[in-house]
Amino acid sequence: MRILLAQINPLVGDIAGNTEQVLALAAAARDRDAADLVVFPELTLTGYPPEDLLLRPEFIARVGAALERLRVELRGITAIVGYPQASVGGLYNVAGVIGDGELIAEYAKQTLPNYSVFDEKRYFRPGQAPCVFQHQGRRIGLTICEDIWEEGPARQAAEAGAEVLININASPYHQGKQAQREELVGMRAREHGLAILYVNLVGGQDELVFDGGSFAVDAAGSVVRRAPAFEPAELLVELTRESPSEPLRPVPGQLAAVLQEEAAVYQALVLGVRDYVRKNGFNGAVLGLSGGIDSALTLAVAVDALGAEWVEAVLMPSRYTARMSIEDAEEEARRLGVVSRIIPIEPAFQAFLGLLAEPFAGSTPDVTEENIQARCRGVILMAISNKSGKILLTTGNKSEMAVGYATLYGDMAGGFAPIKDCAKTLVYRLARWRNRSAPVIPERVLERAPSAELAPDQTDQDSLPPYALLDEILRRYIELDQGVAEMVAAGLPEAEVRRVARLVDRNEYKRRQAPPGVRITSRAFGRDRRYPITSGF
């Protein structure tokens, strides 16, 4: 028996377009006699996550029409697709088996995740029963995504006589996720003596990136086939057995490598930017290029995602901008083949200082004047974005967003934040990783002390702890939910821990107004971490 795992990139809400993908891929597999069964990811027809689209009756009706079309048009091959289905008692997250005019079997997801980025209990009711269907004389069990993380659904399928288990997924990426998936699925396979085929979604959806990496494990839990990550792919799995008493086993074959951390994160950023720009219909991207590390990495990601001809860089020097910053920014734009322009902000800055001369009379310059410079840049970039139809990419990193080292309506202004979930230390690692294939980021950018260049001789460490220390405190406080006492007990300096924790807490209001950005950690700002702005905790 040959099963094709179809790792596709659907568009949320595009029911007709997603249905076309299913029909086209299934027909191609049938016509070249590639497989007997084609398996698509979770909520194939709607994309994932469809969120409150699921509350619209018209949306669910369109899904029903798409299912009827699949029933009529899928001929000569069987497909497993995912969709929401309204039934007695509510809405269910369903996997359906369709072929030659029949809806052969259906399975309703039993384990509904309601943590981190997941909110499925808002929309779905849990299923109760296993599903095992016959195909070519074999008994195939079905589960959906989170079901495989719990013991019950796989055990039910095994007890119902499944000889192989298929698990369809919309599992978003974060660092280390592929290893977790493979370890968990391997454990389930060993528990029940069953081969398991795991098919995953691929593509960017708002801040989420789905990394694909579909795979097959044998009954011993060993990964014997694996699709590439971060790209659409078809993984053909042939199942066989040496004797009737032996379990079905996937024949070893294509085994794409698991990417190392920097490579995986970088590919997630590229895919997230590409799909956000293209799926939302922008004419490309524009960003401010400062000569610093954050904008340098963001530019490289944008070019790798969209192509140099679709990216524009704007240099906006101020009275405090070092000549080397302009030189380095121009050099990076040249190396990446990007059109760039220089628009000094001094005339706009002087105009604002003139307008504010009376209310500022008697005061001394402080962070207010620094923020005015950042907002001058924001106005320039947003104007270019509006006029050109290109999305403005912001360049702030997670370390800055965490402690509020960013200007509302200034450098935070924009439509998408590619490195929003990347700590500053990770930004440097990614930049060096990208330079291994081609030195697009000048070495001086990697070596000099980071600075916002909004005041004379300014560096980030004038206001913040060293980034190695800051990022460790932030990792523990944000991603691990550790308290001050726990971090101090681990050897971190108490004064800095308390200062950083206060900065994180008091800047929630800024983060609520920040653009979405690619999620690459297990706890990103946004839907992952929901803290009150006003709190006495």
Side-chain angles (χ1 to χ4, degrees):
M1 181 167 57
R2 294 165 301 164
I3 300 177
L4 190 69
L5 307 186
Q7 184 172 290
I8 64 168
N9 185 348
L11 173 60
V12 165
D14 184 13
I15 296 167
N18 299 336
T19 302
E20 287 289 351
Q21 278 202 64
V22 170
L23 287 169
L25 197 150
R30 177 200 63 209
D31 293 347
R32 67 176 188 268
D33 195 26
D36 315 297
L37 175 65
V38 183
V39 185
F40 294 89
E42 180 180 10
L43 291 182
T44 321
L45 302 185
T46 63
Y48 192 95
E51 299 184 284
D52 280 10
L53 289 172
L54 292 166
L55 304 180
R56 301 179 67 90
E58 179 189 3
F59 188 74
I60 302 303
R62 290 187 185 182
V63 172
L67 277 173
E68 178 60 16
R69 184 182 173 197
L70 290 178
R71 188 187 65 78
V72 171
E73 297 187 27
L74 272 174
R75 298 288 171 175
I77 195 164
T78 302
I80 297 175
V81 296
Y83 47 88
Q85 183 184 77
S87 186
V88 177
L91 193 68
Y92 294 84
N93 183 341
V94 168
V97 186
I98 304 171
D100 288 330
E102 289 188 67
L103 179 58
I104 299 165
E106 284 187 310
Y107 170 78
K109 186 175 183 178
Q110 298 187 53
T111 309
L112 302 178
N114 218 62
Y115 60 90
S116 184
V117 300
F118 303 105
D119 202 14
E120 290 198 22
K121 290 183 181 179
R122 176 179 173 87
Y123 309 107
F124 297 117
R125 298 288 298 276
Q128 303 295 328
C131 174
V132 177
F133 67 96
Q134 293 271 349
H135 182 73
Q136 292 195 345
R138 306 301 186 192
R139 297 185 301 278
I140 300 175
L142 270 180
T143 55
I144 301 176
C145 204
E146 191 78 7
D147 287 333
I148 204 71
W149 293 80
E150 300 293 334
E151 195 278 332
R155 174 179 47 77
Q156 288 180 346
E159 290 175 350
E163 297 174 271
V164 62
L165 186 63
I166 292 177
N167 182 248
I168 69 170
N169 296 267
S171 177
Y173 168 80
H174 66 68
Q175 290 165 292
K177 189 67 174 288
Q178 184 69 11
Q180 292 175 12
R181 295 178 188 131
E182 293 185 4
E183 180 180 1
L184 186 281
V185 173
M187 180 179 71
R188 290 283 172 264
R190 289 189 297 274
E191 286 173 352
H192 304 293
L194 288 176
I196 301 178
L197 311 187
Y198 180 107
V199 60
N200 193 26
L201 197 68
V202 71
Q205 173 59 33
D206 299 341
E207 65 265 55
L208 300 180
V209 169
F210 298 90
D211 54 322
S214 303
F215 60 93
V217 300
D218 61 21
S222 299
V223 177
V224 294
R225 294 206 175 211
R226 184 189 299 118
F230 303 107
E231 63 185 70
E234 298 174 16
L235 184 67
L236 182 62
V237 180
E238 184 178 357
L239 292 167
T240 186
R241 59 164 42 115
E242 294 181 1
S243 70
S245 62
E246 294 291 322
L248 281 173
R249 60 180 181 84
V251 176
Q254 177 186 349
L255 198 62
V258 175
L259 298 175
Q260 297 300 309
E261 182 181 8
E262 287 84 359
V265 171
Y266 193 87
Q267 291 303 318
L269 299 179
V270 167
L271 180 55
V273 170
R274 178 185 297 131
D275 275 6
Y276 195 87
V277 172
R278 292 182 177 172
K279 289 181 178 180
N280 285 292
F282 290 101
N283 293 330
V286 60
L287 71 153
L289 193 61
S290 68
I293 187 67
D294 297 318
S295 64
L297 178 63
T298 303
L299 182 64
V301 168
V303 169
D304 290 342
L306 306 173
E309 68 274 20
W310 294 97
V311 181
E312 179 179 352
V314 184
L315 287 64
M316 296 166 288
S318 75
R319 63 180 67 176
Y320 303 118
T321 302
R323 181 63 204 170
M324 73 171 70
S325 297
I326 299 173
E327 293 171 351
D328 290 342
E330 289 182 316
E331 177 62 15
E332 186 186 9
R334 185 193 66 78
R335 292 182 186 183
L336 286 166
V338 171
V339 170
S340 65
R341 67 181 80 241
I342 298 179
I343 305 177
I345 66 167
E346 186 65 24
F349 185 40
Q350 286 290 353
F352 276 113
L353 293 180
L355 290 169
L356 294 165
E358 182 179 349
F360 283 8
S363 65
T364 56
D366 57 16
V367 70
T368 306
E369 285 76 12
E370 295 183 24
N371 287 340
I372 289 172
Q373 294 171 70
R375 289 177 180 132
C376 289
R377 292 181 171 124
V379 169
I380 291 168
L381 290 168
M382 280 306 308
I384 293 172
S385 173
N386 291 160
K387 187 65 72 173
S388 66
K390 296 175 180 175
I391 190 172
L392 173 55
L393 301 179
T394 65
T395 61
N397 60 63
K398 189 173 190 175
S399 305
E400 296 169 348
M401 292 299 102
V403 298
Y405 194 64
T407 303
L408 271 175
Y409 325 119
D411 55 311
M412 289 176 64
F416 197 65
I419 62 171
K420 177 182 179 179
D421 199 30
C422 297
K424 187 77 168 189
T425 48
L426 177 58
V427 168
Y428 277 98
R429 285 162 47 204
L430 292 172
R432 292 194 180 280
W433 180 87
R434 177 60 179 83
N435 268 8
R436 292 190 337 190
S437 57
V440 296
I441 299 173
E443 188 63 25
R444 189 162 59 180
V445 175
L446 296 164
E447 297 295 339
R448 62 185 294 209
S451 170
E453 294 191 315
L454 297 173
D457 302 318
Q458 184 183 52
T459 69
D460 292 2
Q461 257 57 79
D462 296 338
S463 306
L464 301 174
Y467 277 116
L469 173 60
L470 175 63
D471 287 351
E472 179 60 15
I473 295 171
L474 293 175
R475 184 184 72 84
R476 291 172 178 268
Y477 193 62
I478 295 165
E479 296 173 28
L480 302 181
D481 280 327
Q482 291 185 1
V484 172
E486 192 173 359
M487 286 187 274
V488 172
L492 297 174
E494 182 173 359
E496 294 289 38
V497 168
R498 291 190 180 279
R499 178 163 76 107
V500 170
R502 282 196 302 272
L503 287 172
V504 172
D505 294 345
R506 68 187 293 186
N507 282 287
E508 183 64 31
Y509 79 101
K510 280 190 179 182
R511 292 189 292 271
R512 290 285 185 93
Q513 300 177 69
V518 181
R519 173 185 184 262
I520 59 98
T521 69
S522 60
R523 180 72 69 85
F525 294 126
R527 66 198 302 163
D528 238 351
R529 186 180 186 273
R530 308 174 197 182
Y531 273 72
I533 295 173
T534 306
S535 171
F537 178 74

